[in-house]
Amino acid sequence: MSLGPDEVKKIAHLARLGIREEDIPEYARNLSDILSFVEHLGEADTEAVAPMAHPLHATQRLRDDVVTENNQREKFQQLAPQTQDGLYLVPKVIE
Amino acid sequence: MEWEAVIGLEIHSQLATNSKIFSGASTTYGAEPNTQACAIDLGMPGVLPVVNKEVVRMAAMFGLAIEAEMGEYSVFARKNYFYPDLPKGYQISQFELPIVGKGHLDIELEDGTTKRIGVTRAHLEEDAGKSLHEDFHGMTGIDLNRAGTPLLEIVSEPDMRSAKEAVAYMKKMHSLVTYLGISDGNMQEGSFRCDANVSVRLKGEEEFGTRTEIKNINSFRFVERAIEHEIERQIEILESGGEIIQETRLYDADKDETRSMRSKEEANDYRYFPDPDLLPVVMDQAVLDAARDSMPELSDARKARFIDQYGLRGEDAGQITASREMADFFEAALEVSGGSDAKIVANWVIGEFSGALNREGLSVQEAPVSAAMLGQLVKRILDNTISGKIAKEVFEAMWQGEGDADVIIEQKGMKQVTDTGAIEVMVDEVLANNPKQVENYRNAEEQKRGKMIGFFVGQIMKASKGKANPALVNELLKKKLDS
């Protein structure tokens, strides 16, 4: 499988990565190599194998429905670039 | 040309847990911004989500109630997109193996027939935070208290054919989740909201038309209006030779119309994959048995029982059992009233009580008149302490917070007069004051007299301020007039 420049741009956009135009051919080559490598898996016969959701043979441990976290807003907000009235501020979002 | 609408609903029902789906932060509504958003909800590096046991039990109860297929394993997946109210860059949801599979819900149509609506699936997911676009000097404010609140997303088959059917389905689903106690169903607070997929096609056509999605509708009234408008809009376009564009639309309640949300540059590409932080959740026989044991009597069964056990009319039983709160209220009031006359209690619940709730926009829990208070009032009608007419005044006084029925009856001297001597005095006085009507009555033919006696009854009730026992008044009047 091989990816073209448009697909690389789309993947970069979905991941919100800024990439330089001149780097695109190299990204395309690297990503295509990874895909080709993974394609080897297609050679295995998986007809009778159930899809796996997790590599561990274990199931989810459940937690009792109890409130265990207290308010640590002040601590968390010290890490934020900008806050106001208890809100985190981000560049304006227009839908 | 006759058109037919095809509608499917996606309902988001917030689950009524104490803590979040993957963290121990509180889910209480209305807290100060970001005071209930812990490291897990904020998507801090190195945290690990752990599934809340209660959401699994609640989903199991829901699955049992809609007779759904439920696999032994369900899997959480990451739905990837960027938005500031979603700090991790993905929402933990379910994709390939949802916790609840195919099921169904029966709705009642206006003509009294029943229609079965298919439920495609119901899956667990976390809610996002809230963006506040007010003026923060050109910035957007983010409150993450809601992030991580458990949601059950219930996806229907495209089985509904009118806005009315869609509303009936949404109401029935609302009744179901509140009966089960898995959601508080509070629509103002966003605990129960839906997206509607709407398309139209010529009647008789097999293929579906192109659909649009109306987002985030949070009232029964809006769901009906939004869908009706969307159906009309699509028919107009098609009849004038146009084409429907698949898009997401918003319902504007103020303008009473749907409008296009700015269409995204490209189609959503969520790149779902199983969340490596979470293992498959097991729904085995033990979980199902525990869920089954905690199932309450649901609305359809309760309605049938009310008809059978209490002799209520189907329509009345349906109205009372539509919400669990109202049905509980009715049964509690009936018990306090002595339990002998369910129909009169039903009439009060449906009539005065529901009327007062609607008038003031209150829920059953918020009503100033409790079930015990209404039961006591009915008891006083049944034991002839007061007449039904006076009871309405007592009810109004209870509603205004003047005390319970006995206190009000005592304070206002509303007790019914059942003393024959006292009523006889009133009857004599009324007859003496209206000689002409008495003469007319006595000259009238037998079959006309029944109607004419009403005049005298009215006068006596007026003289007694409604307190004379109507049966006694009738009896004494007849005796005196016919003698």
Side-chain angles (χ1 to χ4, degrees):
Chain A
M1 189 156 181
S2 124
L3 296 179
D6 286 348
E7 284 158 313
V8 172
K9 278 185 199 158
K10 189 187 168 198
I11 292 165
H13 172 69
L14 284 170
R16 299 295 187 274
L17 293 175
I19 52 173
R20 289 184 305 187
E21 195 71 30
E22 63 263 36
D23 291 338
I24 290 177
E26 196 190 336
Y27 285 130
R29 199 165 50 247
N30 288 342
L31 287 171
S32 299
D33 285 351
I34 293 171
L35 287 174
S36 308
F37 178 72
V38 172
E39 254 169 24
H40 288 304
L41 287 173
E43 292 160 22
D45 178 12
T46 55
E47 191 71 16
V49 180
M52 185 178 69
H54 201 279
L56 295 183
H57 274 288
T59 53
Q60 178 63 40
R61 192 175 67 87
L62 302 177
R63 174 178 65 75
D64 283 335
D65 181 27
V66 182
V67 174
T68 52
E69 296 285 344
N70 43 34
N71 175 21
Q72 301 191 66
R73 183 174 78 181
E74 231 166 275
K75 267 189 182 166
F76 288 132
Q77 298 208 326
Q78 279 168 15
L79 307 171
Q82 214 177 335
T83 62
Q84 187 186 323
D85 307 334
L87 298 163
Y88 294 94
L89 293 190
V90 298
K92 195 161 185 83
V93 183
I94 302 154
E95 176 68 0
Chain B
M1 278 189 288
E2 200 178 345
W3 296 93
E4 174 180 71
V6 175
I7 303 154
L9 295 186
E10 288 167 22
I11 293 175
H12 287 87
S13 180
Q14 188 180 310
L15 296 175
T17 55
N18 300 315
S19 63
K20 294 190 176 170
I21 183 168
F22 300 120
S23 82
S26 169
T27 55
T28 309
Y29 180 83
E32 280 287 302
N34 293 308
T35 54
Q36 295 179 169
C38 72
I40 293 175
D41 308 325
L42 295 176
M44 298 300 262
V47 298
L48 204 59
V50 183
V51 180
N52 185 337
K53 192 188 250 171
E54 191 64 357
V55 305
V56 177
R57 188 187 67 88
M58 287 176 166
M61 278 171 78
F62 177 78
L64 290 170
I66 62 162
E67 298 178 326
E69 295 164 12
M70 282 182 277
E72 198 179 342
Y73 296 100
S74 74
V75 170
F76 284 101
R78 292 186 180 180
K79 177 179 181 177
N80 298 280
Y81 66 92
F82 285 103
Y83 205 76
D85 61 17
L86 187 76
K88 296 192 296 296
Y90 58 86
Q91 177 192 30
I92 305 178
S93 180
Q94 297 193 298
F95 188 56
E96 266 169 275
L97 290 172
I99 192 155
V100 174
K102 243 181 194 331
H104 57 82
L105 188 71
D106 291 341
I107 60 167
E108 216 162 272
L109 304 182
E110 274 184 329
D111 62 5
T113 58
T114 298
K115 180 171 177 178
R116 177 155 287 189
I117 306 296
V119 173
T120 315
R121 57 184 276 158
H123 62 255
L124 292 168
E125 63 185 26
E126 56 178 345
D127 208 344
K130 232 166 50 186
S131 309
L132 299 153
H133 301 287
E134 289 97 84
D135 192 31
F136 294 102
H137 311 288
M139 308 281 277
T140 293
I142 306 289
D143 175 8
L144 294 167
N145 280 347
R146 204 178 59 188
T149 299
L151 298 176
L152 186 68
E153 179 173 339
I154 307 158
V155 183
S156 86
E157 292 284 305
D159 284 350
M160 288 151 275
R161 293 292 172 268
S162 68
K164 282 213 155 57
E165 284 184 22
V167 177
Y169 169 81
M170 194 177 172
K171 281 187 174 164
K172 189 73 184 280
M173 202 51 98
H174 184 264
S175 157
L176 177 63
V177 296
T178 51
Y179 255 96
L180 289 170
I182 63 174
S183 174
D184 66 17
N186 190 322
M187 297 172 90
Q188 280 89 38
E189 293 175 7
S191 299
F192 192 85
R193 51 193 199 260
C194 92
D195 303 338
N197 286 301
V198 180
S199 66
V200 298
R201 64 181 173 191
L202 284 175
K203 216 166 184 158
E205 194 91 20
E206 283 281 321
E207 294 239 335
F208 291 157
T210 305
R211 67 184 160 86
T212 59
E213 183 178 16
I214 314 169
K215 277 271 179 208
N216 250 330
I217 320 174
N218 67 351
S219 91
F220 295 128
R221 200 158 49 95
F222 289 167
V223 120
E224 180 162 355
R225 279 170 40 189
I227 293 175
E228 247 157 32
H229 279 278
E230 183 55 19
I231 292 170
E232 275 171 36
R233 188 189 71 89
Q234 291 189 12
I235 290 175
E236 253 173 55
I237 290 175
L238 291 171
E239 288 195 333
S240 59
E243 225 175 285
I244 309 295
I245 305 160
Q246 183 166 346
E247 62 181 352
T248 302
R249 298 180 70 82
L250 266 186
Y251 177 66
D252 184 335
D254 295 331
K255 289 185 189 149
D256 198 13
E257 64 182 22
T258 67
R259 61 182 146 77
S260 182
M261 282 171 71
R262 212 143 61 99
S263 68
K264 307 232 167 83
E265 299 150 37
E266 55 194 313
N268 289 326
D269 185 349
Y270 292 126
R271 294 149 292 141
Y272 283 97
F273 65 89
D275 191 326
D277 285 346
L278 290 155
L279 291 157
V281 172
V282 178
M283 175 99 77
D284 58 11
Q285 204 51 49
V287 176
L288 288 174
D289 286 345
R292 197 173 282 118
D293 287 345
S294 56
M295 290 274 271
E297 182 185 31
L298 298 179
S299 65
D300 288 348
R302 204 166 191 185
K303 179 183 170 188
R305 180 166 66 78
F306 278 16
I307 294 169
D308 191 53
Q309 182 181 344
Y310 301 133
L312 298 189
R313 292 189 307 142
E315 196 184 315
D316 294 349
Q319 207 173 325
I320 293 172
T321 56
S323 88
R324 180 177 175 176
E325 288 70 35
M326 194 65 94
D328 287 346
F329 183 93
F330 165 78
E331 287 204 290
L334 177 60
E335 199 186 322
V336 173
S337 75
S340 63
D341 194 335
K343 280 182 195 162
I344 183 168
V345 178
N347 286 340
W348 276 88
V349 168
I350 293 168
E352 300 295 315
F353 183 69
S354 298
L357 289 182
N358 289 342
R359 184 182 70 210
E360 315 222 345
L362 296 178
S363 69
V364 175
Q365 291 97 322
E366 295 164 332
V369 173
S370 69
M373 287 163 81
L374 186 70
Q376 194 195 18
L377 176 66
V378 173
K379 192 174 183 177
R380 294 294 167 246
I381 302 170
L382 294 173
D383 69 13
N384 281 322
T385 305
I386 48 170
S387 66
K389 194 164 169 239
I390 290 287
K392 291 195 179 175
E393 286 177 40
V394 177
F395 180 86
E396 219 28 71
M398 289 199 299
W399 194 272
Q400 299 310 327
E402 294 177 30
D404 66 19
D406 283 353
V407 168
I408 292 164
I409 293 167
E410 189 57 48
Q411 272 178 1
K412 301 198 168 184
M414 288 166 138
K415 250 192 192 124
Q416 187 158 246
V417 179
T418 50
D419 169 8
T420 317
I423 294 178
E424 204 166 357
V425 172
M426 288 188 260
V427 170
D428 286 340
E429 207 180 296
V430 166
L431 295 185
N433 289 341
N434 299 282
K436 192 137 197 219
Q437 281 85 348
V438 174
E439 204 188 320
N440 286 345
Y441 177 91
R442 288 187 170 138
N443 292 334
E445 291 163 41
E446 186 64 38
Q447 62 260 44
K448 283 191 182 160
R449 284 182 171 184
K451 224 177 191 175
M452 293 171 80
I453 205 167
F455 166 76
F456 300 106
V457 175
Q459 293 295 311
I460 291 160
M461 293 314 281
K462 205 162 138 193
S464 76
K465 300 201 174 68
K467 288 188 288 185
N469 177 300
L472 272 177
V473 170
N474 258 301
E475 192 189 309
L476 286 171
L477 261 176
K478 275 216 185 86
K479 209 161 84 192
K480 301 228 171 208
L481 283 167
D482 295 349
S483 65

